[in-house]
Coordinates of all heavy atoms in Angstrom, one line a residue:
M1 N 139.8 128.7 160.7 CA 139.5 128.2 159.4 C 138.6 126.9 159.5 O 139.0 126.0 160.3 CB 140.9 127.8 158.8 CG 140.7 127.2 157.3 SD 142.1 126.2 156.7 CE 143.3 127.3 156.3
K2 N 137.6 126.9 158.7 CA 136.7 125.7 158.7 C 137.3 124.6 157.9 O 137.9 124.8 156.9 CB 135.4 126.0 158.0 CG 134.5 126.8 158.7 CD 133.1 126.8 158.1 CE 132.9 127.3 156.7 NZ 131.6 127.5 156.2
S3 N 137.2 123.3 158.5 CA 137.6 122.2 157.7 C 136.5 121.8 156.8 O 135.3 121.9 157.2 CB 138.1 121.1 158.6 OG 136.9 120.6 159.3
S4 N 136.8 121.4 155.6 CA 135.7 120.9 154.7 C 135.3 119.5 155.1 O 136.1 118.7 155.5 CB 136.2 121.0 153.3 OG 137.3 120.2 153.1
P5 N 134.0 119.3 154.9 CA 133.5 117.9 155.3 C 134.0 116.9 154.4 O 134.5 117.2 153.2 CB 132.0 118.1 155.1 CG 131.7 119.3 154.4 CD 133.0 120.2 154.4
D6 N 134.0 115.6 154.8 CA 134.4 114.5 154.0 C 133.6 114.4 152.8 O 132.4 114.3 152.9 CB 134.4 113.2 154.9 CG 134.9 112.0 154.2 OD1 135.3 112.1 153.0 OD2 135.0 111.0 154.9
P7 N 134.1 114.5 151.6 CA 133.3 114.4 150.3 C 132.5 113.1 150.2 O 131.4 113.2 149.6 CB 134.3 114.6 149.2 CG 135.6 114.5 149.8 CD 135.5 114.6 151.3
C8 N 132.9 112.1 150.8 CA 132.1 110.8 150.7 C 130.8 110.9 151.5 O 130.0 110.1 151.3 CB 133.0 109.6 151.1 SG 133.2 109.5 152.9
C9 N 130.7 111.9 152.4 CA 129.5 111.9 153.2 C 128.5 113.0 152.7 O 127.5 113.3 153.3 CB 129.9 112.2 154.7 SG 131.0 111.0 155.3
L10 N 128.9 113.7 151.6 CA 128.1 114.8 151.1 C 127.1 114.2 150.1 O 127.4 113.2 149.4 CB 128.9 115.8 150.4 CG 129.9 116.6 151.3 CD1 130.8 117.5 150.5 CD2 129.1 117.4 152.4
P11 N 125.9 114.8 150.0 CA 125.0 114.3 148.9 C 125.6 114.7 147.6 O 126.3 115.6 147.4 CB 123.7 115.2 149.1 CG 124.1 116.4 150.0 CD 125.4 115.9 150.7
P12 N 125.3 113.9 146.5 CA 125.9 114.2 145.2 C 125.4 115.6 144.7 O 124.2 116.0 145.0 CB 125.3 113.1 144.3 CG 124.4 112.3 145.1 CD 124.4 112.7 146.6
R13 N 126.3 116.3 144.1 CA 125.9 117.6 143.6 C 125.6 117.5 142.1 O 126.2 116.7 141.4 CB 127.1 118.6 143.8 CG 127.3 119.0 145.3 CD 128.4 119.9 145.5 NE 129.6 119.0 145.5 CZ 130.8 119.6 145.6 NH1 131.0 120.8 145.6 NH2 131.9 118.8 145.6
R14 N 124.7 118.3 141.7 CA 124.3 118.3 140.2 C 124.6 119.6 139.7 O 124.3 120.7 140.3 CB 122.8 117.9 140.1 CG 122.5 116.5 140.6 CD 121.1 116.2 140.5 NE 120.6 116.3 139.1 CZ 120.6 115.4 138.2 NH1 121.1 114.2 138.5 NH2 120.1 115.6 136.9
V15 N 125.1 119.6 138.4 CA 125.4 120.9 137.8 C 125.0 120.7 136.3 O 125.3 119.7 135.7 CB 126.9 121.2 137.8 CG1 127.3 122.4 137.0 CG2 127.4 121.4 139.2
E16 N 124.2 121.6 135.8 CA 123.9 121.6 134.4 C 125.1 122.0 133.6 O 125.6 123.0 133.7 CB 122.7 122.6 134.1 CG 122.2 122.4 132.7 CD 121.0 123.3 132.5 OE1 120.2 123.5 133.4 OE2 120.9 123.9 131.4
Q17 N 125.6 121.1 132.8 CA 126.8 121.3 132.0 C 126.4 122.3 130.8 O 125.5 122.0 130.0 CB 127.3 120.0 131.4 CG 127.7 119.0 132.4 CD 129.0 119.5 133.2 OE1 129.8 120.2 132.7 NE2 129.0 119.1 134.5
P18 N 127.2 123.4 130.7 CA 126.9 124.3 129.7 C 127.1 123.8 128.3 O 126.6 124.3 127.3 CB 127.7 125.5 130.0 CG 128.9 125.0 130.9 CD 128.3 123.8 131.5
H19 N 128.0 122.8 128.1 CA 128.3 122.3 126.8 C 128.0 120.8 126.8 O 128.7 120.0 126.2 CB 129.8 122.5 126.5 CG 130.2 124.0 126.5 ND1 130.8 124.6 127.6 CD2 130.0 124.9 125.6 CE1 131.0 125.9 127.3 NE2 130.5 126.1 126.0
K20 N 126.8 120.4 127.3 CA 126.5 119.0 127.4 C 126.5 118.3 126.1 O 127.0 117.2 126.0 CB 125.1 118.9 128.1 CG 124.6 117.5 128.3 CD 123.2 117.4 128.8 CE 123.2 117.5 130.2 NZ 121.8 117.3 130.8
K21 N 125.9 118.9 125.1 CA 125.7 118.3 123.7 C 127.2 118.0 123.2 O 127.4 116.9 122.7 CB 125.0 119.2 122.8 CG 124.8 118.5 121.4 CD 123.9 119.4 120.5 CE 123.7 118.7 119.2 NZ 123.1 119.6 118.2
G22 N 128.0 118.9 123.2 CA 129.4 118.7 122.8 C 130.2 117.7 123.6 O 130.9 116.8 123.0
L23 N 130.0 117.7 124.9 CA 130.6 116.7 125.7 C 130.2 115.3 125.4 O 131.0 114.4 125.3 CB 130.4 117.0 127.2 CG 131.1 118.3 127.8 CD1 130.5 118.6 129.2 CD2 132.6 118.2 127.7
L24 N 128.8 115.1 125.3 CA 128.3 113.8 124.9 C 128.7 113.4 123.6 O 129.0 112.2 123.4 CB 126.8 113.9 125.0 CG 126.2 114.0 126.5 CD1 124.7 114.2 126.4 CD2 126.6 112.8 127.3
T25 N 128.9 114.3 122.6 CA 129.4 113.9 121.3 C 130.8 113.4 121.4 O 131.2 112.4 120.8 CB 129.3 115.1 120.3 OG1 127.9 115.5 120.2 CG2 129.9 114.8 119.0
R26 N 131.6 114.1 122.2 CA 133.0 113.7 122.4 C 133.1 112.3 123.1 O 133.8 111.4 122.7 CB 133.8 114.7 123.3 CG 134.2 115.9 122.6 CD 134.9 116.8 123.5 NE 135.2 118.1 123.0 CZ 136.3 118.8 123.3 NH1 137.2 118.4 124.1 NH2 136.4 120.0 122.7
L27 N 132.2 112.1 124.0 CA 132.2 110.8 124.8 C 131.8 109.7 123.9 O 132.3 108.6 124.0 CB 131.3 110.9 126.0 CG 131.9 111.7 127.2 CD1 130.8 112.1 128.2 CD2 133.0 110.8 127.8
K28 N 130.8 109.9 123.0 CA 130.4 108.9 122.1 C 131.5 108.5 121.1 O 131.8 107.3 120.8 CB 129.2 109.3 121.3 CG 127.9 109.2 122.2 CD 126.7 109.7 121.5 CE 125.5 109.8 122.5 NZ 124.3 110.3 122.0
R29 N 132.3 109.5 120.7 CA 133.4 109.3 119.8 C 134.5 108.5 120.6 O 135.0 107.5 120.0 CB 134.0 110.6 119.4 CG 135.1 110.4 118.3 CD 135.6 111.8 117.8 NE 134.6 112.7 117.4 CZ 134.4 113.9 117.8 NH1 135.3 114.4 118.7 NH2 133.4 114.7 117.5
I30 N 134.7 108.8 121.8 CA 135.7 108.1 122.6 C 135.3 106.6 122.9 O 136.0 105.7 122.8 CB 136.0 108.8 124.0 CG1 136.6 110.2 123.8 CG2 136.8 107.9 124.9 CD1 136.6 111.1 124.9
E31 N 134.0 106.5 123.1 CA 133.4 105.1 123.3 C 133.7 104.3 122.0 O 134.1 103.2 122.1 CB 131.9 105.3 123.6 CG 131.2 104.0 123.8 CD 129.7 104.1 124.0 OE1 129.2 105.2 123.6 OE2 129.1 103.2 124.6
G32 N 133.5 104.9 120.9 CA 133.7 104.2 119.6 C 135.2 103.9 119.5 O 135.6 102.8 119.0
Q33 N 136.1 104.8 119.9 CA 137.5 104.5 119.8 C 137.9 103.3 120.7 O 138.7 102.4 120.3 CB 138.3 105.7 120.3 CG 138.3 106.9 119.3 CD 139.1 108.1 119.8 OE1 138.7 108.6 120.9 NE2 140.1 108.5 119.1
V34 N 137.3 103.3 121.9 CA 137.6 102.2 122.9 C 137.1 100.9 122.3 O 137.8 99.8 122.4 CB 137.1 102.5 124.3 CG1 137.3 101.3 125.2 CG2 137.9 103.7 124.8
R35 N 135.9 100.9 121.8 CA 135.4 99.7 121.2 C 136.3 99.2 120.0 O 136.5 98.0 119.8 CB 133.9 99.9 120.6 CG 132.9 99.7 121.7 CD 131.5 99.5 121.1 NE 131.2 100.5 120.1 CZ 130.6 101.7 120.4 NH1 130.2 102.0 121.7 NH2 130.3 102.6 119.5
G36 N 136.8 100.2 119.3 CA 137.7 99.9 118.2 C 139.0 99.2 118.7 O 139.5 98.3 118.1
V37 N 139.5 99.7 119.8 CA 140.7 99.1 120.4 C 140.4 97.7 120.8 O 141.2 96.7 120.5 CB 141.2 99.9 121.6 CG1 142.3 99.2 122.4 CG2 141.7 101.3 121.2
A38 N 139.3 97.4 121.4 CA 138.9 96.1 121.8 C 138.8 95.2 120.6 O 139.3 94.0 120.6 CB 137.6 96.1 122.6
K39 N 138.3 95.7 119.5 CA 138.2 94.9 118.3 C 139.5 94.5 117.7 O 139.8 93.4 117.3 CB 137.3 95.6 117.2 CG 137.2 95.0 115.9 CD 135.9 94.3 115.7 CE 135.7 93.7 114.3 NZ 136.3 92.5 114.1
M40 N 140.5 95.6 117.8 CA 141.8 95.3 117.3 C 142.5 94.2 118.1 O 143.2 93.4 117.6 CB 142.6 96.6 117.4 CG 142.2 97.7 116.4 SD 143.0 99.3 116.7 CE 144.5 98.9 115.8
V41 N 142.3 94.3 119.5 CA 142.8 93.2 120.3 C 142.3 91.8 119.9 O 143.0 90.8 119.7 CB 142.6 93.5 121.8 CG1 143.1 92.3 122.6 CG2 143.4 94.8 122.2
E42 N 140.9 91.8 119.8 CA 140.3 90.5 119.4 C 140.8 90.0 118.0 O 140.9 88.8 117.8 CB 138.8 90.8 119.3 CG 138.0 90.9 120.6 CD 136.5 91.2 120.4 OE1 136.1 91.2 119.2 OE2 135.9 91.5 121.4
D43 N 141.1 90.9 117.2 CA 141.5 90.6 115.8 C 143.1 90.3 115.7 O 143.6 90.2 114.6 CB 141.1 91.6 114.8 CG 139.6 91.7 114.6 OD1 138.9 90.9 115.0 OD2 139.2 92.8 114.0
D44 N 143.7 90.4 116.9 CA 145.2 90.1 116.9 C 146.0 91.1 116.0 O 146.9 90.8 115.4 CB 145.5 88.7 116.5 CG 144.9 87.7 117.5 OD1 145.0 88.0 118.7 OD2 144.5 86.7 117.0
R45 N 145.5 92.4 116.1 CA 146.3 93.4 115.3 C 147.6 93.7 115.9 O 147.9 93.4 117.0 CB 145.4 94.7 115.3 CG 144.1 94.6 114.5 CD 144.2 94.7 113.1 NE 144.7 95.9 112.6 CZ 144.1 97.0 112.4 NH1 142.8 97.0 112.4 NH2 144.7 98.1 112.0
Y46 N 148.5 94.3 115.1 CA 149.8 94.7 115.5 C 149.8 95.6 116.7 O 149.0 96.6 116.7 CB 150.5 95.4 114.3 CG 152.0 95.7 114.5 CD1 152.9 94.7 114.8 CD2 152.4 97.0 114.2 CE1 154.2 95.1 114.9 CE2 153.7 97.3 114.4 CZ 154.7 96.3 114.7 OH 156.0 96.7 114.9
C47 N 150.7 95.3 117.7 CA 150.7 96.0 118.9 C 150.8 97.6 118.7 O 150.1 98.3 119.4 CB 151.9 95.6 119.8 SG 151.8 93.8 120.2
I48 N 151.7 98.0 117.9 CA 151.9 99.5 117.7 C 150.6 100.1 117.2 O 150.3 101.2 117.5 CB 153.1 99.7 116.7 CG1 154.4 99.2 117.3 CG2 153.2 101.1 116.3 CD1 154.8 99.8 118.6
D49 N 149.9 99.4 116.3 CA 148.6 100.0 115.8 C 147.6 100.1 116.9 O 146.9 101.2 117.0 CB 148.1 99.1 114.7 CG 148.9 99.1 113.4 OD1 149.7 100.0 113.2 OD2 148.7 98.1 112.6
I50 N 147.6 99.1 117.8 CA 146.7 99.2 119.0 C 147.1 100.3 119.9 O 146.3 101.1 120.4 CB 146.7 97.8 119.7 CG1 146.1 96.7 118.8 CG2 145.8 98.0 121.0 CD1 146.3 95.4 119.4
L51 N 148.4 100.4 120.2 CA 148.9 101.5 121.0 C 148.7 102.8 120.5 O 148.4 103.8 121.2 CB 150.4 101.2 121.4 CG 150.7 100.1 122.2 CD1 152.2 99.8 122.2 CD2 150.2 100.3 123.6
T52 N 148.7 103.0 119.2 CA 148.4 104.3 118.5 C 147.0 104.7 118.8 O 146.7 105.9 119.1 CB 148.7 104.2 117.0 OG1 150.1 103.9 116.8 CG2 148.3 105.5 116.3
Q53 N 146.1 103.7 118.7 CA 144.7 104.0 119.0 C 144.4 104.3 120.5 O 143.5 105.1 120.8 CB 143.8 102.8 118.5 CG 143.7 102.7 117.0 CD 143.4 104.0 116.3 OE1 142.4 104.7 116.7 NE2 144.2 104.5 115.4
V54 N 145.1 103.6 121.4 CA 145.0 103.8 122.8 C 145.5 105.3 123.1 O 144.8 106.0 123.8 CB 145.9 102.9 123.6 CG1 146.0 103.3 125.1 CG2 145.3 101.4 123.5
S55 N 146.5 105.7 122.4 CA 147.1 107.1 122.6 C 146.0 108.1 122.1 O 145.8 109.1 122.8 CB 148.3 107.2 121.8 OG 148.8 108.6 121.9
A56 N 145.4 107.8 121.0 CA 144.3 108.7 120.5 C 143.2 108.8 121.5 O 142.6 109.9 121.7 CB 143.9 108.2 119.1
A57 N 142.7 107.7 122.1 CA 141.6 107.7 123.0 C 142.0 108.5 124.3 O 141.2 109.3 124.8 CB 141.2 106.3 123.4
K58 N 143.3 108.3 124.8 CA 143.7 109.0 125.9 C 143.7 110.5 125.6 O 143.3 111.3 126.5 CB 145.1 108.5 126.4 CG 145.1 107.2 127.1 CD 146.5 106.7 127.4 CE 147.2 107.6 128.3 NZ 148.6 107.1 128.7
S59 N 144.2 110.9 124.5 CA 144.2 112.3 124.1 C 142.8 112.9 124.1 O 142.6 114.0 124.5 CB 144.9 112.5 122.7 OG 146.3 112.2 122.8
A60 N 141.9 112.1 123.5 CA 140.5 112.6 123.5 C 139.9 112.8 124.9 O 139.2 113.7 125.2 CB 139.7 111.6 122.7
L61 N 140.3 111.8 125.8 CA 139.8 112.0 127.2 C 140.4 113.1 127.8 O 139.8 113.9 128.6 CB 140.1 110.7 128.0 CG 139.1 109.5 127.8 CD1 139.7 108.2 128.4 CD2 137.8 109.8 128.4
D62 N 141.7 113.4 127.6 CA 142.4 114.6 128.1 C 141.7 115.9 127.6 O 141.5 116.8 128.4 CB 143.9 114.6 127.8 CG 144.7 113.5 128.5 OD1 144.2 113.0 129.6 OD2 145.8 113.2 128.0
A63 N 141.4 115.9 126.4 CA 140.7 117.1 125.9 C 139.4 117.3 126.5 O 138.9 118.5 126.8 CB 140.6 117.0 124.4
L64 N 138.6 116.2 126.7 CA 137.3 116.3 127.4 C 137.5 116.8 128.8 O 136.8 117.7 129.3 CB 136.7 114.9 127.4 CG 135.4 114.8 128.2 CD1 134.2 115.3 127.3 CD2 135.1 113.4 128.7
A65 N 138.5 116.3 129.5 CA 138.8 116.8 130.9 C 139.2 118.2 131.0 O 138.7 119.0 131.8 CB 139.9 115.9 131.5
L66 N 139.9 118.7 130.0 CA 140.3 120.1 130.0 C 139.1 121.0 129.7 O 138.9 122.1 130.3 CB 141.4 120.4 128.9 CG 142.8 119.9 129.3 CD1 143.7 120.1 128.1 CD2 143.3 120.7 130.4
K67 N 138.2 120.5 128.9 CA 136.9 121.3 128.7 C 136.1 121.4 129.9 O 135.5 122.4 130.3 CB 136.1 120.7 127.5 CG 134.9 121.4 127.2 CD 135.2 122.9 126.7 CE 134.0 123.7 126.4 NZ 134.3 125.1 126.5
L68 N 136.0 120.2 130.6 CA 135.2 120.3 131.9 C 135.9 121.1 132.9 O 135.2 121.8 133.7 CB 135.2 118.8 132.5 CG 134.1 117.9 131.7 CD1 134.3 116.5 132.1 CD2 132.7 118.4 132.0
L69 N 137.2 121.1 133.0 CA 138.0 122.0 133.9 C 137.7 123.5 133.5 O 137.5 124.3 134.5 CB 139.5 121.7 133.9 CG 140.0 120.6 134.7 CD1 141.5 120.3 134.4 CD2 139.8 120.9 136.2
E70 N 137.7 123.8 132.3 CA 137.4 125.1 131.9 C 136.1 125.6 132.3 O 135.8 126.7 132.8 CB 137.6 125.2 130.3 CG 137.3 126.6 129.8 CD 137.4 126.6 128.2 OE1 138.1 125.8 127.6 OE2 136.8 127.5 127.6
D71 N 135.1 124.7 132.0 CA 133.7 125.1 132.4 C 133.6 125.2 133.9 O 132.9 126.0 134.5 CB 132.7 124.0 131.9 CG 132.5 124.0 130.3 OD1 133.0 125.0 129.7 OD2 132.0 123.0 129.8
H72 N 134.3 124.3 134.6 CA 134.1 124.3 136.1 C 134.8 125.6 136.7 O 134.1 126.2 137.6 CB 134.9 123.1 136.7 CG 134.9 123.1 138.2 ND1 133.7 122.8 138.9 CD2 135.9 123.4 139.1 CE1 134.0 122.9 140.2 NE2 135.3 123.2 140.3
T73 N 135.9 126.0 136.2 CA 136.6 127.2 136.7 C 135.7 128.5 136.3 O 135.6 129.4 137.1 CB 138.0 127.4 136.2 OG1 138.0 127.3 134.8 CG2 138.9 126.3 136.8
S74 N 135.1 128.5 135.1 CA 134.3 129.7 134.8 C 133.0 129.7 135.3 O 132.3 130.7 135.2 CB 134.4 129.9 133.2 OG 133.7 128.8 132.6
G75 N 132.5 128.6 135.9 CA 131.2 128.5 136.4 C 131.2 128.2 137.9 O 131.1 129.2 138.7
C76 N 131.4 127.0 138.2 CA 131.3 126.6 139.7 C 132.4 127.3 140.5 O 132.0 127.7 141.7 CB 131.5 125.1 139.8 SG 130.3 124.1 138.8
L77 N 133.6 127.4 140.1 CA 134.6 127.9 140.9 C 134.3 129.5 141.1 O 134.5 129.9 142.2 CB 136.0 127.8 140.3 CG 137.2 128.3 141.1 CD1 137.3 127.5 142.4 CD2 138.5 128.1 140.3
Q78 N 134.0 130.2 140.0 CA 133.7 131.6 140.2 C 132.5 131.8 141.2 O 132.6 132.7 142.0 CB 133.3 132.2 138.8 CG 134.5 132.6 138.1 CD 134.2 133.3 136.8 OE1 133.0 133.5 136.5 NE2 135.2 133.8 136.0
N79 N 131.5 131.0 141.0 CA 130.3 131.1 141.9 C 130.7 130.9 143.4 O 130.3 131.5 144.3 CB 129.2 130.1 141.5 CG 128.6 130.5 140.2 OD1 128.7 131.7 139.8 ND2 128.0 129.6 139.5
A80 N 131.6 129.8 143.6 CA 132.1 129.5 145.0 C 132.8 130.7 145.6 O 132.7 131.0 146.8 CB 132.9 128.2 145.0
I81 N 133.7 131.3 144.8 CA 134.5 132.4 145.2 C 133.6 133.6 145.6 O 133.7 134.2 146.7 CB 135.6 132.8 144.2 CG1 136.6 131.7 144.1 CG2 136.2 134.2 144.5 CD1 137.6 131.9 142.9
R82 N 132.6 133.9 144.8 CA 131.6 134.9 145.1 C 130.8 134.7 146.3 O 130.4 135.5 147.0 CB 130.7 135.1 143.9 CG 131.3 135.8 142.7 CD 130.3 136.0 141.5 NE 131.0 136.4 140.3 CZ 130.8 135.7 139.2 NH1 130.1 134.7 139.1 NH2 131.5 136.2 138.2
A83 N 130.6 133.4 146.6 CA 129.8 133.0 147.8 C 130.7 132.8 149.0 O 130.2 132.5 150.1 CB 129.1 131.6 147.5
G84 N 132.0 133.2 148.9 CA 132.8 133.1 150.1 C 133.4 131.7 150.4 O 133.9 131.5 151.5
E85 N 133.2 130.8 149.4 CA 133.7 129.4 149.6 C 134.9 129.1 148.7 O 135.0 128.0 148.3 CB 132.5 128.5 149.3 CG 131.3 128.7 150.2 CD 130.1 128.0 149.8 OE1 130.1 127.3 148.8 OE2 129.1 128.1 150.5
G86 N 135.6 130.1 148.3 CA 136.7 129.9 147.4 C 137.8 129.0 147.8 O 138.3 128.2 147.0
T87 N 138.2 129.1 149.1 CA 139.3 128.3 149.6 C 139.0 126.8 149.4 O 139.8 126.0 148.9 CB 139.6 128.6 151.1 OG1 139.9 130.0 151.1 CG2 140.8 127.8 151.6
A88 N 137.8 126.4 149.8 CA 137.4 125.0 149.7 C 137.3 124.6 148.2 O 137.7 123.5 147.8 CB 136.0 124.7 150.4
A89 N 136.7 125.5 147.4 CA 136.6 125.2 145.9 C 137.9 125.1 145.2 O 138.1 124.2 144.4 CB 135.7 126.2 145.3
I90 N 138.8 125.9 145.6 CA 140.2 125.8 145.0 C 140.9 124.6 145.5 O 141.5 123.9 144.6 CB 141.0 127.1 145.3 CG1 140.4 128.3 144.6 CG2 142.5 126.9 145.0 CD1 141.0 129.7 145.0
G91 N 140.7 124.2 146.7 CA 141.3 122.9 147.2 C 140.7 121.8 146.4 O 141.5 120.8 146.1
E92 N 139.4 121.8 146.2 CA 138.8 120.7 145.4 C 139.3 120.6 144.0 O 139.7 119.6 143.5 CB 137.3 120.9 145.4 CG 136.5 119.9 144.7 CD 135.0 120.2 144.6 OE1 134.6 121.4 144.2 OE2 134.2 119.3 145.0
L93 N 139.5 121.8 143.4 CA 140.0 121.9 142.0 C 141.4 121.4 142.0 O 141.8 120.5 141.1 CB 139.9 123.3 141.5 CG 140.5 123.6 140.2 CD1 139.8 122.9 139.1 CD2 140.6 125.1 139.9
M94 N 142.2 121.8 142.9 CA 143.6 121.3 142.9 C 143.7 119.8 143.1 O 144.6 119.2 142.5 CB 144.5 122.1 143.9 CG 144.7 123.6 143.6 SD 145.2 123.8 141.9 CE 146.8 123.0 141.9
G95 N 142.8 119.3 143.9 CA 142.8 117.8 144.1 C 142.6 117.1 142.8 O 143.2 116.1 142.5
I96 N 141.6 117.6 142.0 CA 141.3 116.9 140.7 C 142.4 117.1 139.7 O 142.7 116.3 138.9 CB 139.9 117.2 140.2 CG1 139.5 116.2 139.1 CG2 139.9 118.6 139.6 CD1 139.3 114.8 139.6
V97 N 143.0 118.4 139.7 CA 144.1 118.6 138.8 C 145.3 117.6 139.1 O 145.9 117.1 138.2 CB 144.6 120.1 138.9 CG1 145.9 120.3 138.2 CG2 143.5 121.0 138.3
R98 N 145.5 117.4 140.4 CA 146.6 116.4 140.7 C 146.3 115.1 140.2 O 147.2 114.4 139.7 CB 146.8 116.4 142.2 CG 147.5 117.6 142.8 CD 147.8 117.4 144.3 NE 148.1 118.7 144.9 CZ 147.2 119.5 145.5 NH1 146.0 119.2 145.6 NH2 147.6 120.7 145.9
K99 N 145.0 114.6 140.3 CA 144.7 113.3 139.7 C 144.8 113.3 138.3 O 145.3 112.3 137.7 CB 143.2 113.0 140.1 CG 143.0 112.6 141.5 CD 141.5 112.3 141.8 CE 141.3 112.0 143.3 NZ 139.9 111.7 143.6
L100 N 144.4 114.3 137.6 CA 144.5 114.4 136.2 C 145.9 114.4 135.7 O 146.3 114.0 134.5 CB 143.7 115.5 135.6 CG 142.2 115.4 135.7 CD1 141.5 116.8 135.3 CD2 141.6 114.3 134.8
A101 N 146.8 115.0 136.4 CA 148.2 115.2 136.0 C 149.0 113.9 136.2 O 150.2 113.8 135.7 CB 148.9 116.3 136.9
R102 N 148.5 112.9 136.8 CA 149.2 111.6 137.0 C 149.4 110.9 135.8 O 148.7 110.9 134.8 CB 148.5 110.7 138.0 CG 148.5 111.2 139.4 CD 147.8 110.2 140.3 NE 147.5 110.8 141.6 CZ 146.6 110.4 142.4 NH1 145.9 109.3 142.1 NH2 146.4 110.9 143.5

């Protein structure tokens, strides 16, 4: 069994995102939500109101991550499996799923 190389020593990989426009739209919305949270803190808003907005931003980031995971599994992961590199790709996927589940 081949050991996978240390990811910090690999050149960055580029992937054309199939849903780039939608992802960027979501990210701009999230960016606006985070700016809104900062403004609420600056304006000394009620803690529960701020926490509600933090929760909304976290949910939006989670939805973005799920979309990226979906695209990754239907694109990159399938391609890696077809190329005989499935074990490493699945390991990489599980590593990021663990991080996202924290």
Side-chain angles (χ1 to χ4, degrees):
M1 180 200 288
K2 281 196 302 192
S3 67
S4 58
D6 184 354
C8 72
C9 301
L10 296 174
R13 292 179 275 177
R14 297 179 56 89
V15 174
E16 187 174 322
Q17 295 296 326
H19 299 101
K20 182 187 275 188
K21 184 178 178 185
L23 293 171
L24 290 171
T25 299
R26 286 182 187 211
L27 283 166
K28 287 176 184 175
R29 188 176 311 124
I30 293 165
E31 181 182 21
Q33 286 176 305
V34 172
R35 276 196 311 270
V37 169
K39 177 102 172 80
M40 291 174 81
V41 171
E42 286 176 5
D43 294 344
D44 297 320
R45 295 280 301 272
Y46 184 55
C47 300
I48 296 300
D49 294 340
I50 298 170
L51 289 167
T52 298
Q53 292 307 309
V54 168
S55 176
K58 284 176 62 176
S59 293
L61 279 170
D62 288 344
L64 177 81
L66 285 174
K67 183 61 183 159
L68 285 166
L69 277 172
E70 180 183 336
D71 289 346
H72 179 73
T73 55
S74 62
C76 300
L77 184 62
Q78 280 187 355
N79 292 337
I81 291 169
R82 288 184 191 121
E85 300 169 358
T87 301
I90 291 169
E92 180 183 54
L93 176 66
M94 291 310 300
I96 197 64
V97 168
R98 283 185 198 95
K99 285 181 182 180
L100 289 169
R102 290 184 194 158

